[in-house]
């Protein structure tokens, strides 16, 4: 695991250089625009794991490509992650991100929303730069994957927000997986891996296997994220504890709780979850948390995450890598990390 | 002028078909996602002038290209316009868009913000489709122009929002032009024309001339928009009357008023403009409007718009068109329409 963390850190440092280079305030002649660039650089400069660039670069190497060829695409995935987080924080009304106030808490919703759009545009600008080194055809394949990834992510985000706005609780475990596949799996695991493979020139079967790997592991990753939100160490995790309860999120933990709780408990949980964030009291949160403990809903979710991780590992073992064996091995370590991490 | 309007309508109808085709809800297997597609189709289905697709297609023809080759790119400009309007309406807290409630008033901020992102992603997806018909190289040139256009627009949007948030009124006519160039000129005139020319295969000098034409005419267009916001017929115009005063916008009209008003009038106008939207009374708005009348600030702005339109026409006359002369003539009519329109 130490190797994995060191490797993630190494790749992140390389990618960060590219990202910050892409967001230089000097590129505008107008003084006022300086703040926009500071805002775009804000999230990228906060502490982060750098999982997605790691997955892109490592898959590229495992598939027989060169790390240097994948760096720019890896940076673009990180740029994507940063703009979507800015918007996600506005949509969810989140307070904290990576241990600091969310961007819209620092600058207001309007400027933050626009900074997210600016960063979205910069993502595409950076992808286009690939044209020079990868050639037009391979760059096109990268862009098509990116486009698919953004579509999936916004659909998943819509499903989750729509459930909250529509006060929907008639949801199954399967609904949760469908939502997670779109909201999390594509941009967290499937596309980063597939983009690395595309840069390496892979086509066909391997891309299907990476999709399958990515979807299972992405859901497992999200379940672990939900567990950490409720039961993790806030300092390590970097988001406000129990935020998911305040935001009314339909996590697997909550859905399982509703499936096993008594009618009275269920009614009270739903009425609490349907309240607006600012109307939820500390007692409300404690009550929901006490039931989560009573029914060991986190234990249930962790079990599911482990099963999904094992499915992902099974798929991974089936891939016929053409490149660096160490890199392929590192992907196995990553799959374990995704559900065992505490941050 | 009748010819121009008929031609804009004709092009818009062709482009609308492509846009709605790109946003088919059936492309998702998940029922909940249907609403996302309805939201993405909402603004595109409202009445609109279709100026930008017209400029793209007409410039392509004037530059010697085929209309059919430019249609998809024209549709992408319209897709871009629609997502940026969704976000712009959230940022400004606007009530109406094209005569109906703004998207966030219908569905709430969170879902509307995400629908804007989804539409942004669809814009790039649609641009990529150009690869098949235009070839990779020309499609790349189109994408680079698009990327530049989004960067300019988000920078301009940042300037304008930053002035409101920072309560800045120490602004000159030049500051206003700088902001308008970025916020309006690029995506309204310069890029639609340049994209048409790029599709036709133009390079070099003509693109510079179209930038110059687009910047002057775009500012003139925005000034006329500001005038209509305060003095237009709301039914024709489709936005809430005097919204710019409620939103605290730094229009040329307001900046001129502040430059010529007495100290006492200036102080009162600034204190009104700095109030939050919901704290502005009808009397506040009437007071500002009475001073605008007193100093004929709208007359001043209209004069500037006419001057800028003439500069744009001068640049346009210098272009050595290789293609359809009627199309080139139509661009001249459009320039006049941009400042003479009542909607």
């Amino acid at each position: 695991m130490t190797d994995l963390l060191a490797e993630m850190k190494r790749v992140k440092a390389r990618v960060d250089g590219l990202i910050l280079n892409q967001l230089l305030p000097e590129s505008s002649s107008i003084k006022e625009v300086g703040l926009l660039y500071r805002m775009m650089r804000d999230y990228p400069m906060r502490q982060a794991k750098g999982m997605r660039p790691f997955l892109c670069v490592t898959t590229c190497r495992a598939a027989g490509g060169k790390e240097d060829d994948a760096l720019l695409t890896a940076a673009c995935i990180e740029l994507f992650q940063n703009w979507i987080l800015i918007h996600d924080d506005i949509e969810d009304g989140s307070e904290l991100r990576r241990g600091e106030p969310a961007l819209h808490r620092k600058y207001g919703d309007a400027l933050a929303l626009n900074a997210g759009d600016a960063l979205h545009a910069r993502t595409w600008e950076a992808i286009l730069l690939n044209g020079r080194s990868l050639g037009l055809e391979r760059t096109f394949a990268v862009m098509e994957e990116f486009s698919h990834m953004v579509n999936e992510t916004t659909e998943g985000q819509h499903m989750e927000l729509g459930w909250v706005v529509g006060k929907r609780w008639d949801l199954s475990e399967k609904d949760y997986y469908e939502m997670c596949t779109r909201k999390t799996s594509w941009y967290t695991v499937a596309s980063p891996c597939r983009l690395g493979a595309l840069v390496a020139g892979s086509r066909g079967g391997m891309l299907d296997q990476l999709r399958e790997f990515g979807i299972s592991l992405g859901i497992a990753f999200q379940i672990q994220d939900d567990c950490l939100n409720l039961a993790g160490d806030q300092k390590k995790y970097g988001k406000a504890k129990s935020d998911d309860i305040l935001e009314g999120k339909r996590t697997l933990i909550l859905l399982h709780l509703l499936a096993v709780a008594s009618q009275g408990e269920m009614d009270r949980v739903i009425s609490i979850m349907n309240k607006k964030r600012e109307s939820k009291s500390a007692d409300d949160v404690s009550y929901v948390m006490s039931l989560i403990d009573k029914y060991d809903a986190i234990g249930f979710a962790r079990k599911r995450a482990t099963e999904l991780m094992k499915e992902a590992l099974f798929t991974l073992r089936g891939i016929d890598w053409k490149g660096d064996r160490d890199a392929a091995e590192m992907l196995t370590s990553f799959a374990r990390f995704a559900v065992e991490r505490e941050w």
Side-chain angles (χ1 to χ4, degrees), chain A:
Chain A
M1 198 63 97
T2 326
D3 278 3
L4 172 72
L5 298 184
E7 179 64 2
M8 276 164 57
K9 210 169 166 181
R10 184 188 69 78
V11 173
K12 185 170 189 307
R14 292 200 72 188
V15 160
D16 280 352
L18 286 179
I19 290 175
L20 297 179
N21 218 18
Q22 187 66 13
L23 302 174
L24 288 182
E26 296 75 40
S27 57
S28 169
S29 56
I30 301 289
K31 211 190 71 194
E32 282 102 325
V33 179
L35 173 63
L36 173 62
Y37 283 80
R38 286 202 299 285
M39 292 177 73
M40 286 197 277
R41 290 160 70 98
D42 189 318
Y43 279 14
M45 287 178 74
R46 298 185 186 187
Q47 197 111 46
K49 293 183 273 293
M51 299 175 313
R52 295 167 185 86
F54 160 84
L55 285 173
C56 176
V57 162
T58 309
T59 309
C60 176
R61 285 173 49 215
K66 280 186 253 152
E67 170 162 322
D68 282 3
D69 286 346
L71 274 184
L72 185 58
T73 303
C76 294
I77 302 171
E78 203 63 3
L79 285 170
F80 166 83
Q81 150 83 346
N82 282 291
W83 78 253
I84 204 122
L85 287 179
I86 295 174
H87 285 183
D88 186 63
D89 288 343
I90 299 174
E91 286 157 7
D92 292 342
S94 301
E95 303 275 354
L96 288 179
R97 173 62 65 184
R98 297 176 178 162
E100 292 175 47
L103 202 68
H104 67 286
R105 299 275 167 195
K106 288 171 74 171
Y107 300 100
D109 284 11
L111 284 174
L113 197 172
N114 182 63
D117 287 337
L119 206 49
H120 188 170
R122 297 282 164 177
T123 308
W124 287 100
E125 184 181 54
I127 299 173
L128 285 169
L129 296 177
N130 263 322
R132 291 184 210 150
S133 49
L134 293 185
L136 298 193
E137 208 145 324
R138 212 165 276 191
T139 303
F140 246 77
V142 163
M143 287 193 287
E144 278 166 355
E145 180 69 21
F146 247 95
S147 160
H148 181 76
M149 175 178 91
V150 191
N151 287 344
E152 291 283 348
T153 311
T154 48
E155 287 192 11
Q157 188 72 357
H158 175 87
M159 287 177 75
E160 183 168 59
L161 291 169
W163 290 344
V164 175
V165 172
K167 304 198 169 171
R168 290 275 309 275
W169 285 103
D170 55 333
L171 301 165
S172 66
E173 215 174 308
K174 187 167 164 288
D175 292 322
Y176 173 83
Y177 295 149
E178 292 278 10
M179 181 275 285
C180 274
T181 297
R182 286 162 182 74
K183 186 190 78 158
T184 307
S185 292
W186 274 98
Y187 95 94
T188 305
V189 189
S191 284
C193 291
R194 284 160 59 93
L195 285 163
L198 286 167
V199 168
S202 306
R203 296 289 178 274
M206 185 185 288
L207 294 175
D208 295 335
Q209 289 170 301
L210 288 172
R211 186 194 62 230
E212 213 172 304
F213 166 71
I215 287 176
S216 306
L217 192 63
I219 300 173
F221 172 89
Q222 182 62 54
I223 294 174
Q224 174 63 4
D225 218 58
D226 298 344
C227 293
L228 290 174
N229 188 289
L230 299 182
D233 176 335
Q234 192 188 325
K235 228 168 160 183
K236 284 188 193 157
Y237 180 58
K239 290 185 219 169
K241 183 140 179 166
S242 310
D243 235 24
D244 283 351
I245 294 178
L246 294 174
E247 292 168 11
K249 289 276 174 75
R250 275 64 174 159
T251 61
L252 183 61
I253 301 161
L254 251 292
L255 294 181
H256 177 71
L257 174 60
L258 292 175
V260 296
S262 71
Q263 186 67 45
E265 289 167 338
M266 195 177 88
D267 292 346
R268 191 163 159 203
V269 168
I270 289 181
S271 98
I272 290 172
M273 293 299 287
N274 281 347
K275 289 186 191 176
K276 279 189 192 307
R277 183 189 187 101
E278 53 276 16
S279 314
K280 281 174 190 150
S281 67
D283 279 355
D284 286 341
V285 175
S286 298
Y287 176 74
V288 177
M289 284 303 300
S290 73
L291 288 186
I292 287 172
D293 282 346
K294 177 177 167 186
Y295 291 105
D296 191 23
I298 290 180
F300 170 85
R302 287 223 156 99
K303 213 173 117 241
R304 280 284 185 273
T306 303
E307 288 164 11
L308 283 157
M309 182 260 282
K310 285 183 180 160
E311 282 177 31
L313 281 178
F314 180 80
T315 309
L316 194 64
R317 274 194 295 274
I319 297 180
D320 181 22
W321 297 109
K322 308 281 183 216
D324 187 337
R325 298 300 308 173
D326 285 352
E329 206 41 59
M330 204 72 90
L331 292 174
T332 307
S333 305
F334 176 83
R336 294 215 181 82
F337 167 76
V339 297
E340 288 165 8
R341 70 203 167 91
E342 289 174 33
W343 50 292

